[in-house]
Each structure stands twice: as structure tokens, then as C-alpha cells.
Amino acid sequence: MTTSIKLPRPAADFHVHVRDGDMMKLVVPTIKQGGVSVAYIMPNLVPPLTKVEDVLSYKSRLEAVDSSVTYAMSLYLSPAITPEVIHEAKKAGITGVKCYPAGVTTNSDHGVASYAPFYPTFAAMEEEDMILNLHGECPSAGHIHVLNAEEEFLPTLKDLHARFPKLRIILEHCTSAAAVQAVLECGPTVSATITAHHLFLIIDNWAGNAYNFCKPVAKLPADRQALLDAATSGNPKFFFGSDSAPHPISAKEKGKNASAGVFTQTHAIAYVAEAFGKLGKIDKLVDFVCNFGRDFYKVEERPSSFSVVLEKEEDTVPLLLGEGGSAVVPFKAGENLSWKVVITEA
Amino acid sequence: MTTSIKLPRPAADFHVHVRDGDMMKLVVPTIKQGGVSVAYIMPNLVPPLTKVEDVLSYKSRLEAVDSSVTYAMSLYLSPAITPEVIHEAKKAGITGVKCYPAGVTTNSDHGVASYAPFYPTFAAMEEEDMILNLHGECPSAGHIHVLNAEEEFLPTLKDLHARFPKLRIILEHCTSAAAVQAVLECGPTVSATITAHHLFLIIDNWAGNAYNFCKPVAKLPADRQALLDAATSGNPKFFFGSDSAPHPISAKEKGKNASAGVFTQTHAIAYVAEAFGKLGKIDKLVDFVCNFGRDFYKVEERPSSFSVVLEKEEDTVPLLLGEGGSAVVPFKAGENLSWKVVITEA
């Protein structure tokens, strides 16, 4: 039985929210703690990052907190992101552009209502070999609701892929069997990230539980099974992106408008190991968390200053990260995990 | 345009939770306030009401708070409810027996795991012409989740109806198109209650909103439409039962394990009028809230001491009923309704 796994290099997390200010200072150190040395940083700050200089400034603030992680950066798609900005961004070392449909999740008020106006931008991204990160949901209205919002988006994914076949596209945090199937049907330039928490959750888990509520919402048992199958399949189209989304307790423990997001950064790789281990697929872990994402992204990174070993050892998820009303409750707070991430400085 | 509706008699609400103790004292007066003079009272106290004497004692406590409402009473189905208890209950004037599947909703820990052991009890109820109130959900497990829990229960409804064709059965708070269809397919001894809040809510409304979270959960747009169609159809199989379920703020504004239930008692008939009015079906209101349920139940009631008029008049739902941490937040708190219930003492 496997009791210890030394990762050939620390894991990479291709969907990370660390906010700004005090929350950033609280959360950024947990990237490494979770076993990760490469983090793809989402741009949905308040206001969103729509300028190259703002992204670079944010990157500096992240590096000031923890310089041992490589931060791959993204812009927030908006009318400000012209083809000229794309060329500028590429030169500045920015990796991709995140597209939020308007109004579907945290800080998406400035998101996209229609894709066609951005075709010139997507063409420039294709030319520059930048990555388009899609939050793949249609806003709820009429027959569209949180449970089919992702499936309803899939024709848009396929349409964009057909229009820009060389553009690398990631369907972020895919949550449904339909999304897995759609990604499989696309060419090699289309991949998907899968979170840790969607390997565990279904609709019942967020019914009456704000800490398990995120967007896209966790769906039905068959969808969770499809995600587990995809993540452990060994197909490089599917790789890890935690979508770890810290919200203070005060934004969760309220009756209405609880913020959407599950916080998994502190134990990111341990959660994935837990899910894979239960399926007897722990041998698929390294590719999913270390290799497939890096290969797709073609990340340039410094040699890591630390190494990561997963030990088969019971580890209890703390009840809180931080203190007071701004503390964050981690996923599975107070529960035991079977794998523990051990960090060793080089 | 209709601007005033005098109900021929006050409304009847055939699914009411008013708890006990201080919460009872807070909520019972709102039955009348909502336009209702007959309330069918649910037995899921802590501990549940499994003895005739306890039900009678509870009824006395309710009458002590407000004697102007007729309280039709129920027992909580458990192994203690033998055929002998049914005969005793009938003599004591108890109307029905509520069956909760184990673990599906508030205070259902003592609920039913298997129906067959209760066949003698159901036979006695059929003989005594008592009513069986079914919380129609299967517990979540395997392929069953909160969204299909009701549909998965429907074969049980049909099986019980086939075994006890003269037993009056109510599928309580039906929430799905499948449930509406199943009730239509059953004989005249099977009816369904429909709540006010399920005429408004879908899954999106309780995603991240504990105040809109109840069991059965509100489902998809097509399900809501089926409920609206059934409630306004003029088919006497469908009548009003609010399932108004008061929980203190402290049980709602928490991260995990928010209590399931929507509180609608204060504005019960106004909410229904709002939903019917928006569909241009206000003419169907009186049968749905006053007549069909009484006809099915064959309720014996005293002449009402008050009369109810619905005025077409903007009315804002208060933010709270009661004070402090034990206060209750009503459905649509702070929102405007188009109809106002006006009570006049006889």
C-alpha cells in the first residue's frame, strides 16, 4: 500500500482566488501550505483587473507575501481588453484572460453579456498563444437555472473553439457530466480544470450549507461521478484548478446572499488525494495535480524552493484560518483527511 | 379589475407549523393575521406528538393563545401509533396522522424508514376515515438527492393508495411536475397541498439563501410552473397548505445546517393572491384557499369570529416577526405585495 508520495515537483493549481489586502496576506501563504508552487491567479478583484499595469502591480503584492510560489497572471475580460491590450499583456508576461458571464458569481458584475464583440480580442489571444479561461455558465433566466447553467453554456464553448481552433481554452471548474463530455469532444486546445470540492459535493451538501455553496454549484451524484472519472482517467485534458475562494465568515453566515465559494487552499492537494485514494486511483494524482496543467499552460517557472511529500497520515482540517469575523472556514473544517502534505525547504 | 375580495369564509391552511413555548406564542396569532381560521397543525414537536393526550394538551395550549382559530390536529406516525391509538384518536377528534420519512426534514429523526409495518395502522385509519399526511420524499442516498427525492417517493404514494383505496391521503407540499401528475393519476381519495412559497421559488432562490431553503426544496422553473398550473386549475385535488415553518434567525444565519423551512404565516393568503394575481387567476383564489381543502378534510369548525377581505393595496412584508435572536424572518421580508389581508371582527 502506498504510504508516502514524493511529488516530482510541487503541485500546480490553475484556478486560485487570493483577493487583495488583508485577505491576500492571510491566504497567499496557504498556497504553498497546500502543496502548490505554481498558482494561476484569477483577476476578479474589486474593481476587476482590466489593465496590464494593475495585473503586474497585483503580482508584485503577491510576491511580497510569498516569493516561493510562481504566480501566473490573468486579465479580466471586459471591453477594455482590446487586441492592443492583449499584445501588451503578452509582452508583460501575462498568461491568460478570464471571462466571466455577467452576474453569475463573485465579483462578476463587470462580466460579459455577449461574446461576439470580443472576437477580435480572442483572435489576438490566439495569435499570441494566450489562454482563455471560461467561467462556463449562462446567467439564470427563463428555463436556465443554476443546475443547467453550465450545460447551457456548452454550445458557446464549442462555438468559440470552432471559431478559434488554435486558441487554448479552459472550461474552468467543470461540474457536470455534460461538460466533461463536451470537453472530450473538443480538440486538444480545449481543456478543463476540476476543483477538489466538486470531487466530494453534490446538491445535498450545499442545501442549507453556505460553506459548501459555490458557483458553479455542485450538481447531482452522476455529475460528481463523471468528474471523479475524468480527474482519475489519465486524460491530460483534465487537470487541477482548486477555485479555492476565500470569504470571511461574515459573508457566509448570513441568511441571504451568502457569498459563493469554497475555500480549499490550505489542504488543496490533500483533498484531491483523499478523493483519488478512496477510488484506489492515487497513482493518477501526480499527473492531475503536477503535470497535465503545466503541460497545457507551458508555464515558465523558477525551480521550486521547496518539495512536497504526501504522507498517509490522519490530518484534521482546522476549523478556521485566521481570526474573528474575517476568518475563513476551510472545506471539511473539523473533518479528518487521510493524507497530509509535508513541505520541505530545499 | 378586481380591487377587493371578500372571502366567503376565512381561508383554511392545511399544513401549519407553530412549534411550542415562546415560538408558539409568537406565531399562533399570525394564523389569523394571514387570513386563516382553520389550521391543520403538524405534530413534529420535540419530542414528536405520538400520544393522543399530548396532541390534546397541545391543542389546549394553542387555543389558549388564540381561540378564534379552529385547530385540526394530527399525530406523528411512529411505532407507538397502533390501530388502537387510531381508534382512540378518532374518538378524541384528532383528524389525521403525519408521516415523515426518517431524517428528511425538521424534527424527522423519529420518522418512518419502512411503510409495511404501518399497514395495520393505515387500515385502521381507513376504517376510521382519518387522513394520512405524507411528507413525500425518499431520504438522499445513492442516486437519490434533494432534487429527485419527491419523484422517487411517488411509487410509494401510488402503492399506498392501491393498498388503501378509501384512505384519504394528502401528498403534502408537493413541489414537482412529477408529483402533480401522480396526484392527478390517483383516485379522488388522494389530494395534494401546495405552499405559497413554492409558487415563487426555484433552486436559484435558495442557493446561498437560507431563508428560502426548505424541504422539499424548491425545484426547477418547469416544476414551479406545474404548481402554479395545478393551484390555479380549479381541480379540487390541489389546495392550500402553507407549510409555514418558523425558525429563529439563529437557526438560519449560520454557515452549516441551516434549518429547513420558509415562514409565510403572517401573509399566507396575501402571498397566494400575489401569485394568482400575476397569472390573472385571482378568480381561482377562493376555491384554493377556502373551499377545496375544507371539502376534502370535512372539517368541523365553529362559525368564524372574524371575516377576511383581500384589498388590492401595496403592503410591505416586515423584516422580522418578534425581536432579537429568536425573531423570525418572513418570506419576502422587505418586499412589497399587491394584496393586503384585512381582518374584521364579527
Side-chain angles (χ1 to χ4, degrees), chain A residues 138-149 152, chain B residues 202-204 220-222 224:
Chain A
C138 292
S140 289
H143 73 288
I144 301 177
H145 46 78
V146 292
L147 216 68
N148 68 2
E152 292 284 332
Chain B
I202 62 166
I203 181 173
D204 286 54
L220 306 184
R224 178 178 58 187

Side-chain angles (χ1 to χ4, degrees), chain A residues 18 34 121 186 205 236 249 320 322:
Chain A
V18 286
T121 300
C186 291
N205 303 111
I249 288 180
L320 285 177

